[in-house]
Amino acid sequence: MKFHDADVLIVGGGLVGCALACALKDTPLQVTLVDSHPPAQSWDAATWDSRIYAISPASRRFLMQIGAWQRMDASRLQSVGQMRIAGDDGRAELAFTAVEARTDELARIVESRELQRALWQAASESPNVTLIAPAQPSALHDEPDGGKLLALSHGPRLSARLVIGADGVQSWVRSQAGIEEKTTPYNQWGVVANFECEKPHLATASQWFFEDGVLAFLPLAGQRMSMVWSCGEVRKNALLSLSADALCQEVARAGQNRLGELNVISPAAAFPLRLMHVADLVKPALALIGDAAHAVHPLAGQGVNLGFGDAMELARILKAEPASRCGDYLVLRRYERARRENVLLMQGVTHGLQKLFNNTNPVLRILRNTGLGLTDQWAWLKHRLIQHAMNA
Ligand SMILES: Cc1cc2nc3c(=O)[nH]c(=O)nc-3n(C[C@H](O)[C@H](O)[C@H](O)COP(=O)(O)OP(=O)(O)OC[C@H]3O[C@@H](n4cnc5c(N)ncnc54)[C@H](O)[C@@H]3O)c2cc1C
C-alpha cells in the first residue's frame, strides 16, 4: 500500500476546517491542515470583534464534544433567551422564547476570533493533527493510486487520501477540482458594528425587516450589542461614511430606540452578501465543507452553523470507515447526500425571506406582515421554525 503524508488533508483552517480537524482527533486518521494565514492568538481584551456569530444549540454541543467550546472565555459569551422579529408595517411582530422552544437558550453569541482561537488551540493539541501555517498551496494533482498531491509554494509536496476544501467562499480547492459554482449576488452588504447600550438587552435578539434590508441586534456580553444591517449599496455607503455619533443615532432610530442611546465600540465594516450553490460537494478523494460548499444570506445567522453541520457529518462518516477508505467516492457520496437537503432548505428559506421582504410590491407587504402575525399566533408552526433553526 502506498505511503501518504496524511489520510485527510484540510486546506483552510477557518472555523469549519479547524472544527473538522478537531472532530477527527483521537482517530487512527492522520490529519494535516494547511492555512495561508494562521489566526491571531491574542488581542487587546478591551476591544470586541466586529464579526459575531449566533451559535445554534446543535453547533454548541458539537463544539463542546470536540473540545473547543470549553476553551473560550465564558465572560465574552452571551446567551439568547428571546427573539423578536418585526415587519415593516410598524405593527406585525413574531416573538419566541427559549422556554417556548423547551430549551435553555435559543443561541449563544460568540466573537469569531475567540472561537477561532479556541478551535486552533484544540486542533494543535491533537496528537494525530499537524498544522502547517502560513502555507500557500500552488497546485493540486491526482495521484495514480486515487489520492491527491498538494504542492505548496514554499514547502513540501503533501500526498493524501482525501483533500478537504475548507478554504472559504472563494475556494481555491473547488476551482482546482473543476467544481462549478453558481453565485447569485444579492446586491446587498452586511454592515456590522458593535455598540455599548444605555438600556440592558435582556438577552433578546431583535430583527427588523425593512423594504431595503434587514437590521439585526444581537445581544453581546455586558450591556453591549452587535449590529448586522443587510442593506443595499446606497445605505451601506451612507452608514460607512457617518461619524461615530451620527452612526449611533441612525442605528438607534432604526432599532426603535429599543436599547436607548448607543455608543459605537467597534467601527462599522461591510461584507458583500451572496447566495452560492455548488454542482458537487464531493469528487473522488475530495470534499467541500463550510463556505467553500455554500453561502447563504446572513439574515438567519446560519452560515457558520451550516458549516459546523458539514464538519460534524463528514467526521461521523469518516470515523465509521477504515482509514484506507477515507477518499473513496462512495463513502464521500454519503456525506453529500446527507448534507445536500439541509443546505438547500436553509438556502431556500433565507433566499425566500430576503425576496419576500426586500420588495416594494404592496400586496407582498400586506402578505408578509400578516404572515409574521399569523406565525406568531400559530404555536405549531412557530415551534417547527424554532426547532429547525436550533438544529441547523
Ligand atoms: C456580514 C456577515 C455576517 C455573518 N453572520 C453570521 C452569523 O451571525 N452566524 C453565522 O453562522 N454565520 C454568519 N456569517 C457567515 C460566516 O462568516 C461564514 O459562514 C463562516 O466564516 C465560514 O467559515 P469557513 O471556515 O467555511 O470559511 P472562512 O471563515 O472563510 O475560512 C476559510 C479559511 O481558509 C483559509 N484560506 C483561504 N484560501 C486559502 C488557500 N488558498 N490556501 C490555504 N488557506 C486558505 C483562510 O485563511 C481561512 O482561514 C456571516 C457572514 C457575513 C458576511
Side-chain angles (χ1 to χ4, degrees), residues 12 14-16 35-36 51-53 137 167 271 290-291 301-304:
L15 299 175
V16 178
D35 198 295
S36 42
R51 190 168 284 209
I52 299 288
Y53 298 121
D167 48 347
F271 306 89
D291 276 17
Q302 292 296 348
V304 85

Side-chain angles (χ1 to χ4, degrees), residues 15-16 19 51-64 69 72 76-81 103-112 114-116 119 218-219 300-309 312 389-392:
L15 299 175
V16 178
R51 190 168 284 209
I52 299 288
Y53 298 121
I55 300 295
S56 71
S59 295
R60 179 180 42 126
R61 284 192 295 276
F62 170 60
L63 292 167
M64 184 76 87
W69 188 264
M72 283 195 288
R76 299 186 75 101
L77 311 183
Q78 172 64 50
S79 191
V80 180
T103 179
D104 55 340
E105 63 182 10
L106 295 171
R108 193 78 65 91
I109 306 298
V110 308
E111 290 168 282
S112 182
E114 179 68 6
L115 181 52
Q116 176 77 66
L119 279 161
L218 300 175
Q302 292 296 348
V304 85
N305 290 309
L306 270 185
F308 288 142
M312 195 180 340
M390 291 201 312
N391 293 312

